[in-house]
Amino acid sequence: MPQYKLHCFGESGNAYKAALMLELTGQDWQPVLVDYFHGQTRTDSWRQQINEQGEVPVLEHAGQTFTQSALILDYLAAQTGQFGPQSEEEHREIWRWMLFDNHKFTSYYATLRFLYGLKKTGETEVTKFFRERATAAYQLVDQHLSQTPFMVGGRLTIADLSLAGYVFMPEETGMQLTDFPHIEAWKARIKAVPGWKAPYELMPRA
Ligand SMILES: N[C@@H](CCC(=O)N[C@@H](CS)C(=O)NCC(=O)O)C(=O)O
């Protein structure tokens, strides 16, 4: 019986944040595939039994259930003693970037990728809007990474794992990540961490 169970699906970058943390910290974990594209997270039973917020990822550990990727990362950092803050100031800084990630960096890009890369809507006013917003968030993070190898404290932390949720996804978005050279260099540093795996290697696809 694995210590950790992660309700997830391969296409979910939000789930990848937690999956990569579990993998890099060497935990005994198992993915539980969620049939997202056939509406499993929208059923009453899934919401009642797994997550009332209707979202993946969901982590089960020691009889408890955790949702929201940032909170899961924070919990795992505390449990494993890895990739967490080393001071109060770092704790605040990590949360500042994880909140920015959830609100802008991940959410605009993930929505763009969902529409353009997975649902194949083609270019619409909506995809243009999300690309513009995602580009602004990526420029800001690129600028930050021009001054530091990782987001906080000069070493890999859960802030990086949060922001990295979607940057390794292969689908087309109409955004060229090579336009963000510091993000590209940061991705290479993350990839070089022992144990790193791509999203579709870590989780089954829905
Ligand atoms: N802020 C949440 C976002 C989670 C999220 O949006 N998950 C998507 C899959 S990547 C989902 O389950 N969406 C449910 C829906 O759209 O109905 C987190 O970081 O965990």
Side-chain angles (χ1 to χ4, degrees):
M1 180 82 166
Q3 247 198 309
Y4 292 92
K5 276 192 197 170
L6 184 68
H7 297 257
C8 62
F9 56 97
E11 292 86 345
S12 168
N14 285 304
Y16 178 59
K17 299 171 186 187
L20 188 57
M21 175 71 177
L22 288 163
E23 193 71 13
L24 292 181
T25 57
Q27 304 311 301
D28 175 23
W29 73 282
Q30 175 187 292
V32 177
L33 178 64
V34 177
D35 193 2
Y36 175 78
F37 294 109
H38 292 103
Q40 192 177 357
T41 55
R42 299 199 175 159
T43 61
D44 288 343
S45 66
W46 197 86
R47 290 185 175 186
Q48 275 156 21
Q49 287 163 34
I50 311 289
N51 182 7
E52 64 178 347
Q53 292 182 340
E55 290 181 335
V56 160
V58 176
L59 182 75
E60 285 184 52
H61 180 235
Q64 286 181 280
T65 297
F66 304 90
T67 76
Q68 291 297 336
S69 61
L71 185 140
I72 292 171
L73 288 171
D74 190 57
Y75 175 75
L76 289 173
Q79 284 293 312
T80 64
Q82 297 182 65
F83 306 132
Q86 289 176 355
S87 66
E88 281 289 312
E89 192 189 342
E90 272 193 13
H91 190 241
R92 283 191 293 275
E93 201 55 12
I94 283 173
W95 270 100
R96 195 168 75 90
W97 281 112
M98 291 202 300
L99 289 167
F100 178 80
D101 175 48
N102 271 249
H103 183 48
K104 293 194 168 141
F105 190 83
T106 277
S107 64
Y108 292 134
Y109 186 84
T111 310
L112 169 66
R113 170 204 175 241
F114 179 75
L115 294 172
Y116 194 86
L118 290 173
K119 288 196 85 180
K120 312 269 187 212
T121 60
E123 189 71 320
T124 65
E125 284 305 309
V126 177
T127 55
K128 271 190 215 152
F129 172 79
F130 279 112
R131 190 175 303 107
E132 204 177 288
R133 301 294 290 172
T135 300
Y138 271 62
Q139 279 166 347
L140 204 144
V141 169
D142 196 60
Q143 168 64 25
H144 182 73
L145 286 169
S146 71
Q147 293 152 27
T148 172
F150 293 101
M151 293 305 292
V152 177
R155 62 178 201 290
L156 185 79
T157 68
I158 53 173
D160 299 289
L161 297 180
S162 185
L163 285 144
Y166 283 84
V167 297
F168 295 108
M169 291 294 180
E171 289 81 15
E172 193 53 57
T173 60
M175 258 169 82
Q176 295 306 326
L177 293 194
T178 44
D179 289 346
F180 308 99
H182 303 293
I183 290 181
E184 281 296 295
W186 166 77
K187 278 176 62 181
R189 285 190 282 276
I190 295 175
K191 256 180 143 168
V193 174
W196 180 87
K197 284 188 184 147
Y200 298 151
E201 287 177 82
L202 273 184
M203 300 175 290
R205 296 183 64 159

